Amino acid sequence: QKNMAAVSAVHAAKKVLRKEIKARLAAMSESEKLRQSELITQKLISNPMYQASTKVSLYLSFSNEVSTESILTHIFQNGKRCFIPRYVADKMDMLRLFSPEDYDSLPVTRWNIKQPADDDNTREEAISTGGLDLILMPGLGFTPDGHRLGRGKGYYDNYLRKCAALPSGRPYTIALAFSEQMCNSIPVTENDMTVDEVLFVEK
């Protein structure tokens, strides 16, 4: 009973924090988002864990997330294998993306995000071929030491648990965040995974 109460208190606190961060993001100008995205892209490109990785999963950004367009280009230019999320109902897979042209031809979901079609079974799925080296994580809020506030569906937490069961183990995780998404603390339960590193621009 006590544990249930603690979990529901965390859920309520997360809800409040999500609202606060969404308001901060809504106040950002497009030029500021672009400025921070470019700086974070440079930080990532010079990050040794990124440089050493060969199988990388990348989220395809929408308007209130750090843009991953330049990162996508860099992944292909450097011969890394790229995987992107496909969300179907309450499940997320990471499917292989082959080229910028492949990206351009992807269908768009009703949330206006590109992803492989639900019935596309031609692509390699990262877990079935041995896992990933690196996951670039989206999220709504982060602390500098890696606590993460997701959007509440648990997609990445569940996916990382599946990866952890593979012989290759859990991949390294790097979150990309606007400084507006950084928090001093985030309420968490034991099911919430932490990320290994958070890249952001200091205010």
Side-chain angles (χ1 to χ4, degrees):
Q1 203 65 44
K2 192 176 162 194
N3 195 26
M4 287 294 289
V7 169
S8 67
V10 167
H11 279 307
K14 281 184 177 180
K15 206 170 173 180
V16 172
L17 189 54
R18 280 194 185 99
K19 204 171 172 180
E20 278 174 29
I21 297 168
K22 281 178 180 171
R24 293 205 295 261
L25 288 169
M28 284 181 81
S29 67
E30 290 307 312
S31 61
E32 179 58 14
K33 287 179 195 171
L34 187 64
R35 184 188 77 84
Q36 289 192 38
S37 292
E38 284 173 355
L39 290 167
I40 291 162
T41 298
Q42 291 313 312
K43 281 186 182 222
L44 178 73
I45 287 170
S46 58
N47 182 290
M49 294 304 286
Y50 171 75
Q51 290 175 346
S53 66
T54 55
K55 289 178 77 178
V56 183
S57 148
L58 174 78
Y59 68 93
L60 299 180
S61 52
F62 60 101
S63 65
N64 62 359
E65 293 175 324
V66 170
S67 170
T68 55
E69 263 178 60
S70 304
I71 299 167
L72 188 65
T73 305
H74 192 270
I75 287 173
F76 289 129
Q77 283 172 348
N78 287 269
K80 297 179 188 290
R81 287 160 72 188
C82 181
F83 293 80
I84 57 168
R86 175 177 64 182
Y87 305 96
V88 179
D90 57 355
K91 185 167 164 275
M92 178 181 76
D93 289 323
M94 291 292 178
L95 300 182
R96 180 84 185 268
L97 187 68
F98 292 97
S99 65
E101 296 71 31
D102 186 18
Y103 168 76
D104 289 338
S105 68
L106 287 174
V108 174
T109 68
R110 59 193 170 103
W111 295 285
N112 209 26
I113 298 172
K114 283 175 172 282
Q115 71 171 27
D118 291 2
D119 59 357
D120 182 344
N121 55 10
T122 61
R123 295 173 188 271
E124 176 187 343
E125 203 293 313
I127 283 181
S128 63
T129 53
L132 293 153
D133 304 323
L134 173 66
I135 296 183
L136 299 177
M137 307 262 296
L140 200 50
F142 301 94
T143 63
D145 62 351
H147 286 297
R148 172 179 177 269
L149 179 70
R151 292 176 186 275
K153 297 270 195 277
Y155 289 122
Y156 278 87
D157 292 329
N158 293 335
Y159 195 82
L160 283 168
R161 267 192 285 279
K162 282 192 225 164
C163 290
L166 294 172
S168 59
R170 186 188 142 152
Y172 195 76
T173 50
I174 297 179
L176 311 177
F178 292 126
S179 48
E180 284 75 1
Q181 293 176 279
M182 298 306 294
C183 306
N184 295 327
S185 68
I186 285 173
V188 288
T189 65
E190 61 236 24
N191 286 333
D192 294 317
M193 297 272 188
T194 54
V195 289
D196 295 309
E197 214 174 327
V198 184
L199 301 185
F200 63 101
V201 179
E202 304 274 354
K203 269 286 193 217

